[in-house]
Each structure stands twice: as structure tokens, then as C-alpha cells.
Amino acid sequence: MSIKLRFLSIWIPDFILIKELDRLSDLTNNHLEMLLKRYSVSPQFIEKPSKGKLEERRAIMAASHNLHVNALVEALGFEKALELGRKEMFKAGYELGCEAKKRLGVGSDIKDAIFAARILYKVLGIKFSVEENEQTVLLLVKYCALANHYTPETCKIMSAADEGVLKGLNEKMDMKFFKRITEGSKNCKACINIEK
């Protein structure tokens, strides 16, 4: 495990969390806007503040995601919006995961990918634990700062970005969410299959 990865898994100053949240917000919103333009739907914009606390910025990012997803659902219907939105968000997440892998010095060990995921989730205000057995890992989200802001539809689409991030961090890992806080579950749960 790289020194940078080990250090950031312990402590990240707020100014770095804000900078990374802005990068993540720009990336995901750009992918959603490209998708909307592809289907001749005008993107909805929310002014991103130049100042503000981390929690406020997370709420603004979530509101922007909600607007984009709602516009997509109105134009295409839920099933088509879900299919296309998840594909686009997986691509955005994969791009983010590959980038984070290089920047954080993530090795091929599965534990490195989990450490990196913790860092990226810290940016979003998400706390999780993992339970492992021989071939699968269960990711259990105990707290999600975005769950109070996302609609269930937005969460279903945006969770594909999380799945893409993990794949970008380690090609041998495939994650799929099967429970979500936004749909009334106490926790979000995802199964991570590990290719041997």
C-alpha cells in the first residue's frame, strides 16, 4: 500500500475534501449533461458556490443530480432513463476510479481498492463497512450524506457511478447494489464479486 493511500485513509483536510467533491460533481454532472444533450433535453443548472461548507456543496451536487435525472426520466420514461443513466454513470465512475488508482498509488491488492473507496466515499460523506468471505465481499453503507437529498430514482442511477469507481480501482471487482437507504432500507448494501 502506498504511503499516500495509507495517510489519506486516516485523515483528509476539509479543503481537499471540498476540492475533490467539486471535481467529482463536475465529472458526474458533465456526463449527465452529455446524456441529456444526446437526447435533445436541455440540462438543468444549479449555480455551484465558490464558497461554502462541505455539507452544503454535497446538497447542491445532489440537487443538480436530481434535476438532471428528473429531466431524463421526463424525456425518456423511467426504464430507458435508468438503463442509459446507469451506463453513463458507470462510465463516469470508471473514469474516476482509474484516475484515483493512479493518483493514490492503488496496487492490485483488493484491500488497496477498499482503502481507496473509503477515501472517495469520505468525500461524499459516506461511511461503510465490509464483510468478506472467500469469493464475495458485502459492502454495508451505514451512513450516506446524499441519501437525505437524493430521490430513489437518482440514487438508482448514481449508484452505478460507485460500481464503476470500484471497477476502475481494481478490474477484478464487480459491485452491484441490492438495497438502498433512499428506498426505505436501514442501510445500502452491495455485493462485490471478486474475479479469481
Side-chain angles (χ1 to χ4, degrees), residues 3 7 15 28 32 43 53 60 67 74 78 93 96 101-102 111 123 126 143 153 162 164 171 174 180 188 191:
I3 293 169
F7 177 75
F15 78 92
T28 52
L32 286 168
K53 293 183 180 179
I60 289 167
L67 279 175
E74 281 181 30
F78 177 69
L96 184 66
K101 182 176 183 169
K102 288 178 190 168
K111 289 188 189 322
V123 170
I126 297 172
Y143 173 79
E153 296 79 13
D162 300 338
E171 290 286 341
D174 287 304
R180 293 177 178 85
C188 293
C191 184

Side-chain angles (χ1 to χ4, degrees), residues 114-143:
I114 299 294
F115 265 91
R118 282 190 196 286
I119 292 166
L120 295 173
Y121 268 2
K122 197 177 282 188
V123 170
L124 294 170
I126 297 172
K127 295 177 184 171
F128 71 91
S129 63
V130 293
E131 297 171 11
E132 297 180 53
N133 67 31
E134 289 179 16
Q135 284 194 311
T136 61
V137 175
L138 180 69
L139 182 135
L140 179 71
V141 174
K142 298 175 178 183
Y143 173 79

Side-chain angles (χ1 to χ4, degrees), residues 3-196:
I3 293 169
K4 188 174 191 177
L5 183 58
R6 189 180 304 273
F7 177 75
L8 290 173
S9 68
I10 297 167
W11 179 72
I12 307 172
D14 273 0
F15 78 92
I16 291 177
L17 290 173
I18 288 170
K19 180 182 168 190
E20 292 304 311
L21 181 66
D22 286 347
R23 281 171 26 87
L24 191 147
S25 179
D26 289 344
L27 177 74
T28 52
N29 280 312
N30 286 342
H31 275 265
L32 286 168
E33 288 162 19
M34 286 188 304
L35 184 58
L36 287 168
K37 286 177 185 173
R38 199 176 310 147
Y39 291 92
S40 301
V41 180
S42 297
Q44 306 292 313
F45 293 100
I46 292 180
E47 188 73 30
K48 186 170 62 173
S50 58
K51 294 182 180 179
K53 293 183 180 179
L54 196 54
E55 297 80 24
E56 293 169 309
R57 288 171 181 257
R58 287 178 183 142
I60 289 167
M61 179 187 73
S64 182
H65 289 161
N66 284 334
L67 279 175
H68 287 13
V69 167
N70 289 344
L72 200 59
V73 168
E74 281 181 30
L76 304 174
F78 177 69
E79 292 303 321
K80 191 72 173 170
L82 180 65
E83 176 192 343
L84 296 172
R86 284 187 56 79
K87 279 183 187 173
E88 195 63 37
M89 285 302 95
F90 186 89
K91 282 196 285 188
Y94 184 77
E95 183 181 325
L96 184 66
C98 289
E99 182 184 287
K101 182 176 183 169
K102 288 178 190 168
R103 288 176 52 212
L104 296 173
V106 177
S108 59
D109 189 323
I110 300 302
K111 289 188 189 322
D112 274 18
I114 299 294
F115 265 91
R118 282 190 196 286
I119 292 166
L120 295 173
Y121 268 2
K122 197 177 282 188
V123 170
L124 294 170
I126 297 172
K127 295 177 184 171
F128 71 91
S129 63
V130 293
E131 297 171 11
E132 297 180 53
N133 67 31
E134 289 179 16
Q135 284 194 311
T136 61
V137 175
L138 180 69
L139 182 135
L140 179 71
V141 174
K142 298 175 178 183
Y143 173 79
C144 176
L146 302 175
N148 292 329
H149 305 288
Y150 275 167
T151 65
E153 296 79 13
T154 300
C155 187
K156 260 188 182 166
I157 289 173
M158 296 311 296
S159 64
D162 300 338
E163 295 164 8
V165 164
L166 204 58
K167 188 72 166 174
L169 289 170
N170 189 314
E171 290 286 341
K172 292 183 177 183
M173 299 175 81
D174 287 304
M175 180 169 73
K176 292 285 180 243
F177 279 90
F178 61 92
K179 287 198 176 190
R180 293 177 178 85
I181 295 168
T182 56
E183 294 173 339
S185 180
K186 183 180 175 186
N187 306 103
C188 293
K189 291 182 182 178
C191 184
I192 303 171
N193 292 309
I194 301 166
E195 182 188 312
K196 294 292 180 184

